[in-house]
Each structure stands twice: as structure tokens, then as C-alpha cells.
Amino acid sequence: MVKFMLNREPKNFDGDGETPLLWVIRDFEKLTGTKFGCGIAQCGACTVHLDGVPIRSCVTPIGALEGASVTTIEGVSGEEATAVKAAWVAIDVPQCGYCQSGQIMSAIALLQSTRTPDDKDIDAAMSGNICRCATYHRIRQAIHNAATSMEG
Ligand code: FES
Ligand code: FES
């Protein structure tokens, strides 16, 4: 039995400890905002926060999460999350949308650690999040806009 927090709610998982967190989130908890892309930590579609740090849930076994706090796109909150979501909507970042919850989770984590990132910071923080629709330019702009909005 693994006890952990998911979006600030206590959860128990009774199955195989090798089960990837992504399956627990999607199949057991029915939170489908977090996406499966590659399954091998190469695309970032499955990004969630583990104790505030962005991780790839497709390669994170649930058995390693005893006592941990996991946040998904459905539960992420706070100043940075509000600013990022607003900036994403304002400049209409997504195209197909498939990669976007992972992009947003990485962007929020970046702003939580670096309040006014430059292009280099953004590229470094977002390099593990692949977008097949190539929305990278709008993602970068939205992160700058979110940072600016938090200054006011
Ligand atoms: S699905 Fe996890 S990194 Fe691609
Ligand atoms: S918006 Fe389509 S993959 Fe990123």
C-alpha cells in the first residue's frame, strides 16, 4: 500500500508498486489532463509536479512515492499557475493541445523557481517538452507575458 497526496487529497494505491504514476493518475484516479506520449521520458506530455518539481510520470513508479505530494494540471494552483494559464489563453498557445498540460506544468515550475526567466532559462526549462505542432514561439512568449503579469 502506497500512501501519497494527489492534488492535496490523501490517496492510497494498493496495486503493483512498479505501476507508473501516469497510469495511477489516468486509469485509477480518472484525471486525464496528464497525457501519455512516449512512455520513455522523452516528450514531457506526462509532466506533473512531485513535491513542486516537474517530473515525468510515465517513468515514475508509484512505489517510490510513499508520503509524496503529486500535483497534476487539474490541481495546480497559486500565483504562477494563474499567470501561466491566463497568458496561455490570451495568446492562444495550443494547436492540437496534446502536449499542452505538460508544457504548462513545466512553465509553472520554471516561474516558481525563476521569477523573470530569460530566453535561455525558458529554453533550458522547456527543452524536455516536445510539441509536434511547434508552438514553441508562443510558449516562450506566454511565459514572458506570465512573468510580466506577476510583476504588476
Ligand atoms: S509520456 Fe512521459 S515523457 Fe513522454
Ligand atoms: S499543440 Fe499539438 S503537440 Fe503541442
Tab-separated table of all heavy atoms in Angstrom, residues 22 35-47 55-59 98 128, ligand 1:
chain	number	residue	atom	x	y	z
A	22	LEU	N	1.750	7.716	-14.024
A	22	LEU	CA	0.830	8.180	-15.065
A	22	LEU	C	-0.418	7.301	-15.139
A	22	LEU	O	-1.530	7.800	-15.310
A	22	LEU	CB	1.547	8.203	-16.421
A	22	LEU	CG	0.714	8.655	-17.622
A	22	LEU	CD1	0.141	10.042	-17.426
A	22	LEU	CD2	1.544	8.590	-18.894
A	35	LYS	N	-1.085	13.586	-20.075
A	35	LYS	CA	-1.136	12.759	-21.292
A	35	LYS	C	0.004	11.743	-21.389
A	35	LYS	O	1.100	11.979	-20.872
A	35	LYS	CB	-1.091	13.653	-22.540
A	35	LYS	CG	-2.192	14.695	-22.606
A	35	LYS	CD	-3.574	14.077	-22.548
A	35	LYS	CE	-4.648	15.139	-22.758
A	35	LYS	NZ	-5.976	14.657	-22.376
A	36	PHE	N	-0.280	10.660	-22.105
A	36	PHE	CA	0.732	9.683	-22.480
A	36	PHE	C	1.225	10.027	-23.878
A	36	PHE	O	0.424	10.116	-24.822
A	36	PHE	CB	0.145	8.271	-22.485
A	36	PHE	CG	1.094	7.246	-23.052
A	36	PHE	CD1	2.142	6.769	-22.290
A	36	PHE	CD2	0.944	6.782	-24.346
A	36	PHE	CE1	3.024	5.830	-22.815
A	36	PHE	CE2	1.821	5.843	-24.878
A	36	PHE	CZ	2.866	5.376	-24.108
A	37	GLY	N	2.541	10.219	-23.996
A	37	GLY	CA	3.101	10.469	-25.323
A	37	GLY	C	4.033	9.348	-25.733
A	37	GLY	O	3.727	8.530	-26.580
A	38	CYS	N	5.199	9.292	-25.081
A	38	CYS	CA	6.236	8.329	-25.486
A	38	CYS	C	6.382	7.172	-24.506
A	38	CYS	O	6.761	6.080	-24.890
A	38	CYS	CB	7.562	9.054	-25.628
A	38	CYS	SG	8.155	9.734	-24.051
A	39	GLY	N	6.155	7.432	-23.224
A	39	GLY	CA	6.321	6.407	-22.209
A	39	GLY	C	7.759	6.153	-21.803
A	39	GLY	O	8.026	5.253	-20.999
A	40	ILE	N	8.696	6.928	-22.331
A	40	ILE	CA	10.120	6.705	-22.025
A	40	ILE	C	10.833	8.016	-21.650
A	40	ILE	O	12.009	8.183	-21.916
A	40	ILE	CB	10.853	6.016	-23.202
A	40	ILE	CG1	10.622	6.767	-24.529
A	40	ILE	CG2	10.416	4.559	-23.311
A	40	ILE	CD1	11.506	6.284	-25.682
A	41	ALA	N	10.094	8.948	-21.071
A	41	ALA	CA	10.693	10.184	-20.544
A	41	ALA	C	11.337	11.053	-21.617
A	41	ALA	O	12.309	11.759	-21.343
A	41	ALA	CB	11.707	9.863	-19.441
A	42	GLN	N	10.777	11.012	-22.835
A	42	GLN	CA	11.385	11.775	-23.931
A	42	GLN	C	10.519	12.920	-24.449
A	42	GLN	O	11.004	13.728	-25.243
A	42	GLN	CB	11.696	10.834	-25.103
A	42	GLN	CG	12.732	9.775	-24.789
A	42	GLN	CD	14.088	10.377	-24.485
A	42	GLN	OE1	14.614	11.173	-25.244
A	42	GLN	NE2	14.656	10.023	-23.345
A	43	CYS	N	9.251	13.005	-24.051
A	43	CYS	CA	8.391	14.008	-24.701
A	43	CYS	C	7.800	15.043	-23.747
A	43	CYS	O	7.422	16.119	-24.168
A	43	CYS	CB	7.267	13.323	-25.474
A	43	CYS	SG	5.920	12.700	-24.432
A	44	GLY	N	7.659	14.716	-22.475
A	44	GLY	CA	7.145	15.674	-21.498
A	44	GLY	C	5.638	15.774	-21.404
A	44	GLY	O	5.127	16.532	-20.574
A	45	ALA	N	4.906	15.015	-22.205
A	45	ALA	CA	3.438	15.104	-22.178
A	45	ALA	C	2.863	14.705	-20.824
A	45	ALA	O	1.777	15.141	-20.450
A	45	ALA	CB	2.840	14.222	-23.274
A	46	CYS	N	3.595	13.891	-20.087
A	46	CYS	CA	3.107	13.328	-18.820
A	46	CYS	C	3.597	14.111	-17.606
A	46	CYS	O	3.533	13.607	-16.482
A	46	CYS	CB	3.587	11.886	-18.708
A	46	CYS	SG	5.403	11.803	-18.553
A	47	THR	N	4.082	15.329	-17.805
A	47	THR	CA	4.713	16.090	-16.711
A	47	THR	C	3.719	16.452	-15.613
A	47	THR	O	2.646	17.005	-15.876
A	47	THR	CB	5.356	17.378	-17.266
A	47	THR	OG1	6.290	17.025	-18.286
A	47	THR	CG2	6.064	18.161	-16.164
A	55	ILE	N	8.269	16.355	-12.992
A	55	ILE	CA	8.798	15.005	-13.255
A	55	ILE	C	8.002	14.373	-14.388
A	55	ILE	O	6.897	14.819	-14.719
A	55	ILE	CB	8.713	14.084	-12.022
A	55	ILE	CG1	7.254	13.937	-11.556
A	55	ILE	CG2	9.611	14.574	-10.904
A	55	ILE	CD1	6.967	12.615	-10.913
A	56	ARG	N	8.569	13.292	-14.951
A	56	ARG	CA	7.874	12.532	-15.990
A	56	ARG	C	7.136	11.371	-15.324
A	56	ARG	O	7.762	10.398	-14.884
A	56	ARG	CB	8.865	12.003	-17.027
A	56	ARG	CG	9.780	13.062	-17.625
A	56	ARG	CD	9.023	14.177	-18.313
A	56	ARG	NE	9.947	15.101	-18.961
A	56	ARG	CZ	9.898	16.419	-18.835
A	56	ARG	NH1	8.970	16.998	-18.084
A	56	ARG	NH2	10.772	17.175	-19.474
A	57	SER	N	5.838	11.467	-15.276
A	57	SER	CA	5.067	10.460	-14.534
A	57	SER	C	5.039	9.109	-15.238
A	57	SER	O	4.734	8.096	-14.614
A	57	SER	CB	3.641	10.959	-14.296
A	57	SER	OG	2.964	11.195	-15.517
A	58	CYS	N	5.398	9.058	-16.535
A	58	CYS	CA	5.385	7.776	-17.255
A	58	CYS	C	6.499	6.850	-16.796
A	58	CYS	O	6.415	5.639	-17.013
A	58	CYS	CB	5.479	8.006	-18.765
A	58	CYS	SG	7.065	8.672	-19.337
A	59	VAL	N	7.548	7.396	-16.187
A	59	VAL	CA	8.670	6.551	-15.758
A	59	VAL	C	8.876	6.621	-14.240
A	59	VAL	O	9.928	6.234	-13.742
A	59	VAL	CB	9.983	6.940	-16.488
A	59	VAL	CG1	9.902	6.613	-17.966
A	59	VAL	CG2	10.340	8.405	-16.258
A	98	TYR	N	-2.355	18.500	-27.402
A	98	TYR	CA	-1.973	17.252	-26.725
A	98	TYR	C	-0.819	17.431	-25.740
A	98	TYR	O	-0.829	16.867	-24.657
A	98	TYR	CB	-1.610	16.165	-27.752
A	98	TYR	CG	-1.648	14.795	-27.137
A	98	TYR	CD1	-2.856	14.106	-27.001
A	98	TYR	CD2	-0.490	14.200	-26.639
A	98	TYR	CE1	-2.902	12.860	-26.397
A	98	TYR	CE2	-0.535	12.952	-26.038
A	98	TYR	CZ	-1.735	12.292	-25.921
A	98	TYR	OH	-1.782	11.062	-25.318
A	128	GLY	N	12.658	19.637	-22.472
A	128	GLY	CA	12.167	18.259	-22.418
A	128	GLY	C	10.717	18.110	-22.808
A	128	GLY	O	10.175	17.004	-22.777
B	1	FES	S1	4.900	10.182	-21.923
B	1	FES	FE1	6.261	10.629	-20.332
B	1	FES	S2	7.857	11.761	-21.257
B	1	FES	FE2	6.608	11.124	-22.912
